[in-house]
């Protein structure tokens, strides 16, 4: 499978009627399965579903590929990054493309240098 061409094809499935900013992603698992996602907007923006937040189960992921419909390579929103922190290993690759197939690779750790995780919820009253 040509990942970049599949991402470009998936952009057609995006429902981006408000922003016209389409996003597709392919999530690769450690057992070599692939899951496809697209963004689905909603007039109530809080009900919008990002392409990157469709999934499998914790730490079964190998890498994620993401494409947007613009000429600029864009990073993921902060909600998606928070989900990455919960479900992905810190050294997992996040590979981002624009609509011209330009590429940028980062790890989850590079995208989220100051994570909020379960460790932050373990606090003690003094």
């Amino acid at each position: 499978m040509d990942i970049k061409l599949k991402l470009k094809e998936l952009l057609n499935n995006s429902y981006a009627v408000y922003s016209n900013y389409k996003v597709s992603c392919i999530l690769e698992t450690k057992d070599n399965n692939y899951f496809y996602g697209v963004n689905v907007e909603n007039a109530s923006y809080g009900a919008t579903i990002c392409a990157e937040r469709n999934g499998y189960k914790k730490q079964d992921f190998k890498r994620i590929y993401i494409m947007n419909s613009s000429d600029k390579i864009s990073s993921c929103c902060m909600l998606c990054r928070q989900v990455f922190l919960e479900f992905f290993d810190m050294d997992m690759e996040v590979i981002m493309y624009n609509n011209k197939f330009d590429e940028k690779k980062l790890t989850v750790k590079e995208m989220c240098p100051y994570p909020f995780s379960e460790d932050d919820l373990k606090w003690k009253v003094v």
Side-chain angles (χ1 to χ4, degrees):
M1 164 176 49
D2 184 318
I3 294 289
K4 293 183 272 188
L5 290 178
K6 185 64 178 175
L7 286 166
K8 186 95 168 183
E9 176 188 324
L10 287 169
L11 287 174
N12 294 320
N13 296 338
S14 170
Y15 182 74
V17 296
Y18 302 101
S19 70
N20 201 32
Y21 185 78
K22 297 179 177 190
V23 181
S24 63
C25 77
I26 298 174
L27 190 55
E28 183 180 353
T29 62
K30 291 178 182 173
D31 60 0
N32 297 316
N33 284 312
Y34 294 87
F35 293 89
Y36 307 140
V38 297
N39 60 320
V40 179
E41 293 180 347
N42 191 294
S44 169
Y45 285 118
T48 295
I49 300 171
C50 300
E52 303 90 340
R53 288 191 281 143
N54 295 293
Y56 210 51
K57 57 185 186 182
K58 192 170 184 169
Q59 297 180 338
D60 282 345
F61 304 103
K62 187 174 186 179
R63 70 180 56 90
I64 188 168
Y65 306 89
I66 304 163
M67 179 180 281
N68 70 74
S69 59
S70 80
D71 293 344
K72 179 182 174 190
I73 296 175
S74 296
S75 188
C76 306
C77 75
M78 292 302 196
L79 285 172
C80 289
R81 291 181 200 201
Q82 185 61 40
V83 172
F84 289 3
L85 287 169
E86 186 71 23
F87 289 93
F88 299 160
D89 295 329
M90 293 299 278
D91 61 348
M92 189 177 118
E93 281 186 319
V94 179
I95 305 168
M96 298 169 283
Y97 302 97
N98 64 6
N99 64 2
K100 296 181 178 184
F101 304 121
D102 297 322
E103 178 182 291
K104 182 170 186 163
K105 289 183 184 181
L106 295 171
T107 63
V108 170
K109 185 173 185 166
E110 290 169 326
M111 291 185 77
C112 309
Y114 304 103
F116 179 81
S117 69
E118 63 183 272
D119 292 337
D120 294 297
L121 299 174
K122 296 174 184 170
W123 53 276
K124 186 188 218 179
V125 177
V126 265

